[in-house]
Amino acid sequence: MKNPLRDLFRLFFPPTCAVCGRVLPEEGELLCTTCRWEMPLTGFARQADNPVARKFYGHLPLDAASSYYYFVHGSGFRDLIHRFKYQGGWAIAQKLGAWYGAELKESGLYGGIDLVVPIPLHWLRRLQRGYNQSEYLARGIASALGVPVESHSVVRRVYNVSQTHRTKDERWENVHGIFAVRHPERLVGRRLLLVDDVLTTGATLISCGETILRAVPDCRLSIATLAVARGELRSGMEY
Ligand SMILES: [Zn+2]
């Protein structure tokens, strides 16, 4: 059906690729075919033993762990994550989550997941940003897996400043005890998929996972992060 108003809008504001900025032929697409093809995927979702899973060995008992793509400095795919954090790009987060979720579903390693749990923001941070980007990632993943999102059971009690300029030691110190479980009864006996946007040291995910296992010892955990910094996979976990 023709919609002259929409055609006119498209003429002035055509949909563009979120990575390279080229005009897209179709409405509702996120990336052009070239960028989709060039996405630096890890393929870890299909491997039980992979560098992301190994990063958590000895620190947090997990059924499975993976990241969807490599966080490459200076690439458009790095900017993509900045966009959904700081420019209201929750729709991008949800779309990427759905792509990742399709891969997780296909792998078979994540088939038993009951609930998808986004790493929570402090309520004040959430208020400032307007939303939690990991929650939209979690929604995309959960829809692909056909399971619900649980975003009210785990909370971040402490408002901490950015981790970016901290040393490794300070980062570990900084996340210790910052999470709390408000509704353990909702998690009892469940297999949870913890979702975060970028995996760097893993300190935040470990802190959150430890808190959950202490409150609900009989639940099981897996981890999925959208991106992983390649440099963080070389040396394993360091205290
Ligand atoms: Zn593109």
Side-chain angles (χ1 to χ4, degrees):
M1 234 202 291
K2 279 224 166 253
N3 183 339
L5 207 62
R6 200 188 59 196
D7 290 348
L8 192 68
F9 184 79
R10 262 196 67 120
L11 193 65
F12 290 102
F13 305 101
T16 53
C17 171
V19 168
C20 72
R22 261 183 233 132
V23 173
L24 294 168
E26 293 288 330
E27 209 100 30
E29 295 295 317
L30 178 62
L31 304 181
C32 69
T33 1
T34 312
C35 289
R36 183 89 201 250
W37 184 255
E38 286 174 353
M39 202 166 180
L41 300 176
T42 67
F44 293 161
R46 292 184 295 274
Q47 309 162 21
D49 182 25
N50 68 63
V52 168
R54 244 169 273 147
K55 204 169 161 60
F56 292 98
Y57 285 177
H59 300 288
L60 190 66
L62 297 174
D63 288 346
S66 63
S67 303
Y68 188 46
Y69 70 84
Y70 289 109
F71 191 76
V72 184
H73 283 270
S75 97
F77 289 98
R78 182 176 183 272
D79 298 339
L80 203 58
I81 287 187
H82 281 257
R83 279 182 56 179
F84 71 63
K85 252 186 187 172
Y86 303 110
Q87 292 172 26
W90 56 268
I92 298 177
Q94 188 159 341
K95 184 107 185 178
L96 288 169
W99 289 356
Y100 188 18
E103 189 173 287
L104 295 173
K105 187 176 177 154
E106 215 173 89
S107 97
L109 294 168
Y110 300 81
I113 298 295
D114 299 305
L115 293 171
V116 179
V117 178
I119 295 295
L121 289 180
H122 187 267
W123 66 268
L124 194 57
R125 175 68 56 88
R126 195 195 153 106
L127 201 68
Q128 288 168 333
R129 197 175 285 165
Y131 61 92
N132 175 2
Q133 74 279 2
S134 294
E135 202 174 310
Y136 282 92
L137 269 178
R139 284 190 198 180
I141 290 174
S143 68
L145 292 177
V147 298
V149 174
E150 174 54 67
S151 49
H152 301 290
S153 293
V154 187
V155 294
R156 194 184 286 240
R157 298 187 298 130
V158 181
Y159 183 94
N160 49 6
V161 291
S162 168
Q163 295 269 65
T164 318
H165 301 293
R166 289 171 187 271
T167 65
K168 270 208 162 107
D169 283 350
E170 283 170 345
R171 286 185 185 205
W172 283 101
E173 198 56 44
N174 198 35
V175 296
H176 186 74
I178 65 169
F179 296 102
V181 178
R182 286 284 149 81
H183 297 287
E185 75 283 356
R186 293 190 197 170
L187 308 180
V188 171
R190 299 302 188 93
R191 282 163 296 183
L192 314 179
L193 181 64
L194 295 182
V195 169
D196 206 358
D197 51 3
V198 185
L199 173 64
T200 52
T201 63
T204 309
L205 279 156
I206 290 174
S207 175
C208 188
E210 277 177 347
T211 304
I212 293 172
L213 288 177
R214 219 175 295 127
V216 192
D218 76 338
C219 76
R220 303 192 62 86
L221 301 178
S222 291
I223 281 176
T225 76
L226 184 67
V228 59
R230 208 187 281 261
E232 293 288 344
L233 294 177
R234 279 187 211 119
S235 51
M237 194 70 74
E238 289 165 19
Y239 279 97

mmCIF file of all heavy atoms in Angstrom, residues 17-22 31-36, ligand 1:
data_model
loop_
_atom_site.group_PDB
_atom_site.id
_atom_site.type_symbol
_atom_site.label_atom_id
_atom_site.label_comp_id
_atom_site.label_asym_id
_atom_site.label_seq_id
_atom_site.Cartn_x
_atom_site.Cartn_y
_atom_site.Cartn_z
ATOM 1 N N CYS A 17 22.469 2.095 7.935
ATOM 2 C CA CYS A 17 23.191 1.029 8.635
ATOM 3 C C CYS A 17 23.789 1.605 9.925
ATOM 4 O O CYS A 17 24.440 2.652 9.902
ATOM 5 C CB CYS A 17 24.290 0.473 7.740
ATOM 6 S SG CYS A 17 25.399 -0.662 8.593
ATOM 7 N N ALA A 18 23.569 0.912 11.055
ATOM 8 C CA ALA A 18 24.026 1.415 12.358
ATOM 9 C C ALA A 18 25.544 1.387 12.490
ATOM 10 O O ALA A 18 26.102 2.006 13.388
ATOM 11 C CB ALA A 18 23.390 0.590 13.479
ATOM 12 N N VAL A 19 26.236 0.693 11.585
ATOM 13 C CA VAL A 19 27.698 0.645 11.667
ATOM 14 C C VAL A 19 28.366 1.574 10.652
ATOM 15 O O VAL A 19 29.181 2.410 11.001
ATOM 16 C CB VAL A 19 28.218 -0.810 11.515
ATOM 17 C CG1 VAL A 19 29.720 -0.848 11.294
ATOM 18 C CG2 VAL A 19 27.858 -1.615 12.762
ATOM 19 N N CYS A 20 28.010 1.462 9.377
ATOM 20 C CA CYS A 20 28.726 2.241 8.353
ATOM 21 C C CYS A 20 27.932 3.461 7.876
ATOM 22 O O CYS A 20 28.490 4.336 7.204
ATOM 23 C CB CYS A 20 29.101 1.369 7.172
ATOM 24 S SG CYS A 20 27.696 0.898 6.146
ATOM 25 N N GLY A 21 26.650 3.525 8.187
ATOM 26 C CA GLY A 21 25.864 4.706 7.835
ATOM 27 C C GLY A 21 25.293 4.699 6.430
ATOM 28 O O GLY A 21 24.606 5.641 6.029
ATOM 29 N N ARG A 22 25.534 3.627 5.658
ATOM 30 C CA ARG A 22 24.953 3.548 4.311
ATOM 31 C C ARG A 22 23.431 3.436 4.384
ATOM 32 O O ARG A 22 22.900 2.845 5.319
ATOM 33 C CB ARG A 22 25.491 2.310 3.581
ATOM 34 C CG ARG A 22 26.620 2.646 2.634
ATOM 35 C CD ARG A 22 27.081 1.398 1.883
ATOM 36 N NE ARG A 22 28.510 1.234 2.041
ATOM 37 C CZ ARG A 22 29.134 0.110 2.382
ATOM 38 N NH1 ARG A 22 28.431 -0.972 2.621
ATOM 39 N NH2 ARG A 22 30.431 0.073 2.502
ATOM 40 N N LEU A 31 21.642 -3.471 10.147
ATOM 41 C CA LEU A 31 22.924 -3.348 9.449
ATOM 42 C C LEU A 31 22.747 -3.643 7.962
ATOM 43 O O LEU A 31 21.839 -4.380 7.572
ATOM 44 C CB LEU A 31 23.933 -4.354 10.013
ATOM 45 C CG LEU A 31 24.227 -4.335 11.507
ATOM 46 C CD1 LEU A 31 25.258 -5.401 11.838
ATOM 47 C CD2 LEU A 31 24.715 -2.973 11.947
ATOM 48 N N CYS A 32 23.665 -3.091 7.145
ATOM 49 C CA CYS A 32 23.676 -3.441 5.727
ATOM 50 C C CYS A 32 24.271 -4.848 5.592
ATOM 51 O O CYS A 32 24.879 -5.366 6.535
ATOM 52 C CB CYS A 32 24.478 -2.415 4.928
ATOM 53 S SG CYS A 32 26.246 -2.460 5.252
ATOM 54 N N THR A 33 24.111 -5.447 4.443
ATOM 55 C CA THR A 33 24.584 -6.830 4.246
ATOM 56 C C THR A 33 26.087 -6.933 4.445
ATOM 57 O O THR A 33 26.574 -7.907 5.030
ATOM 58 C CB THR A 33 24.243 -7.344 2.824
ATOM 59 O OG1 THR A 33 23.588 -6.314 2.118
ATOM 60 C CG2 THR A 33 23.382 -8.561 2.890
ATOM 61 N N THR A 34 26.839 -5.916 3.990
ATOM 62 C CA THR A 34 28.301 -5.953 4.131
ATOM 63 C C THR A 34 28.697 -5.986 5.611
ATOM 64 O O THR A 34 29.512 -6.809 6.028
ATOM 65 C CB THR A 34 28.938 -4.712 3.469
ATOM 66 O OG1 THR A 34 28.374 -4.562 2.174
ATOM 67 C CG2 THR A 34 30.437 -4.841 3.368
ATOM 68 N N CYS A 35 28.108 -5.083 6.413
ATOM 69 C CA CYS A 35 28.465 -5.024 7.840
ATOM 70 C C CYS A 35 28.029 -6.288 8.571
ATOM 71 O O CYS A 35 28.739 -6.793 9.434
ATOM 72 C CB CYS A 35 27.875 -3.784 8.487
ATOM 73 S SG CYS A 35 28.706 -2.277 7.949
ATOM 74 N N ARG A 36 26.857 -6.792 8.217
ATOM 75 C CA ARG A 36 26.384 -8.036 8.850
ATOM 76 C C ARG A 36 27.377 -9.157 8.576
ATOM 77 O O ARG A 36 27.709 -9.964 9.420
ATOM 78 C CB ARG A 36 24.996 -8.364 8.277
ATOM 79 C CG ARG A 36 24.332 -9.594 8.872
ATOM 80 C CD ARG A 36 23.508 -9.254 10.086
ATOM 81 N NE ARG A 36 23.292 -10.431 10.921
ATOM 82 C CZ ARG A 36 22.131 -11.042 11.079
ATOM 83 N NH1 ARG A 36 21.063 -10.570 10.508
ATOM 84 N NH2 ARG A 36 22.025 -12.102 11.845
HETATM 85 ZN ZN ZN B 1 26.963 -1.123 6.979
#
